[in-house]
Amino acid sequence: MNGSEDRDTPWRAHGVSVQGYRHRRSGVPCQDAFEHRVVGPVTVLAVADGAGSRPRSDEGSKFAVRLAMEHFGRRAGGLAALSAPKVRDVLREIFLDVRHAFREHTGADAPDFATTLTVVVLAPEWIGQVSVGDGFVVLRAGTEDGVRQYHLLPQPAAVSEYSNETVFLTSNDAADWVYDSCVNDHGVDGVMLSTDGLAQAALSRGPGGGTIPHTAFVEAVLRSLDAPGPVTDSAHEALATLLGSDRLTALNADDKTLLRAVRRGRS
């Protein structure tokens, strides 16, 4: 799916999902999904990663991002008017509305559609994130000694110190694990959302032991979107080829989704 361009927004957005090696080998469809939508001055971005062990998780991820577009888009006017201190509670409220609609539609079969969901809202005065599961968001903001800086938005704590489990939109305790944050920084000119299939490529271990962006990867991904004009088919295919490359597959054989947005005229 190739993200389209809307000339009325200050942001240019584009996304790619590729099937992971394990799924290609076994004939399982890609279980990741993404969407973005422009509503007035607000741009909504969402990525989702269906649970590999669940039979209808590819449908679940697509449904989750579609609901995110509907619910956050419907309230975009009100979101744009919010000041930063009030953002997080409202984002969480809308996110829980998405979860309720998801579970209500899927009913008793909800676990079969299990998926993570990460949503970013780009408003004129702030950038908000709300998520459940192991997706992640990196921002490009400012320079230091002429070098662009990249920042990983805070992530929720692991479900267990001794496992790689994650929480899904359909999990009974998902409301307890929803994570939100808000950034009020006009220096932010690039945003990258991803499912965990790209964690090894896009993130690395910092000097203090914490997780930080892998600058070379994120920089290349965002820089290729800085050029004005719509993303060409060849550029889209080049990014898809990178995500499906042997080099990245060796790091992680899962499906990979990357959704990026850059401010126009700020490259």
Side-chain angles (χ1 to χ4, degrees):
M1 179 178 177
N2 192 350
S4 59
E5 181 176 29
D6 189 313
R7 298 183 182 278
D8 295 329
T9 174
W11 294 89
R12 178 186 298 111
H14 171 257
V16 175
S17 282
V18 299
Q19 188 182 26
Y21 173 73
R22 287 197 300 264
H23 289 166
R24 292 200 304 271
R25 185 179 59 185
S26 58
V28 174
C30 179
Q31 294 170 331
D32 283 4
F34 71 89
E35 282 200 34
H36 63 87
R37 180 175 298 179
V38 177
V39 185
V42 171
T43 299
V44 183
L45 312 164
V47 299
D49 180 359
S53 60
R54 308 299 170 83
R56 303 183 70 179
S57 62
D58 58 319
E59 298 173 61
S61 63
K62 293 179 178 64
F63 187 43
V65 296
R66 188 166 71 246
L67 284 175
M69 295 303 107
E70 292 174 2
H71 284 259
F72 283 89
R74 186 182 306 140
R75 296 181 61 175
L79 287 171
L82 287 176
S83 59
K86 299 178 181 178
V87 168
R88 295 174 62 177
D89 287 345
V90 177
L91 291 182
R92 176 180 288 263
E93 174 189 314
I94 300 172
F95 193 89
L96 291 176
D97 286 345
V98 169
R99 176 176 180 264
H100 176 75
F102 190 104
R103 287 174 61 95
E104 189 172 62
H105 180 83
T106 54
D109 295 327
D112 291 346
F113 296 83
T115 181
T116 67
L117 178 62
T118 301
V119 179
V120 168
V121 178
L122 307 175
E125 299 299 323
W126 48 264
I127 293 172
Q129 169 207 16
V130 60
S131 63
V132 67
D134 49 16
F136 61 91
V137 180
V138 176
L139 304 182
R140 183 178 69 185
T143 61
E144 187 172 309
D145 296 327
V147 178
R148 276 182 160 164
Q149 300 299 298
Y150 298 87
H151 311 274
L152 176 67
L153 286 185
Q155 297 177 279
V159 175
S160 168
E161 180 183 356
Y162 305 104
S163 77
N164 61 356
E165 295 178 35
T166 192
V167 179
F168 299 107
L169 199 62
T170 51
S171 301
N172 290 332
D173 60 347
D176 298 329
W177 291 92
V178 174
Y179 194 83
D180 57 79
S181 59
C182 180
V183 175
N184 186 13
D185 182 352
H186 291 279
V188 176
D189 66 358
V191 183
M192 188 189 84
L193 290 71
S194 181
T195 55
D196 75 321
L198 279 172
Q200 288 81 2
L203 305 177
S204 59
R205 189 67 60 186
T211 303
I212 62 173
H214 182 201
T215 299
F217 180 86
V218 181
E219 181 176 43
V221 163
L222 292 178
R223 185 177 62 236
S224 67
L225 191 60
D226 281 328
V231 177
T232 64
D233 289 342
S234 61
H236 175 82
E237 289 304 321
L239 183 57
T241 298
L242 170 64
L243 299 193
S245 66
D246 291 343
R247 179 165 63 90
L248 294 195
T249 296
L251 296 174
N252 191 317
D254 197 4
D255 299 330
K256 297 174 178 64
T257 291
L258 186 154
L259 179 55
R260 55 199 178 143
V262 299
R263 286 190 192 269
R264 301 176 192 275
R266 296 278 291 274
S267 58

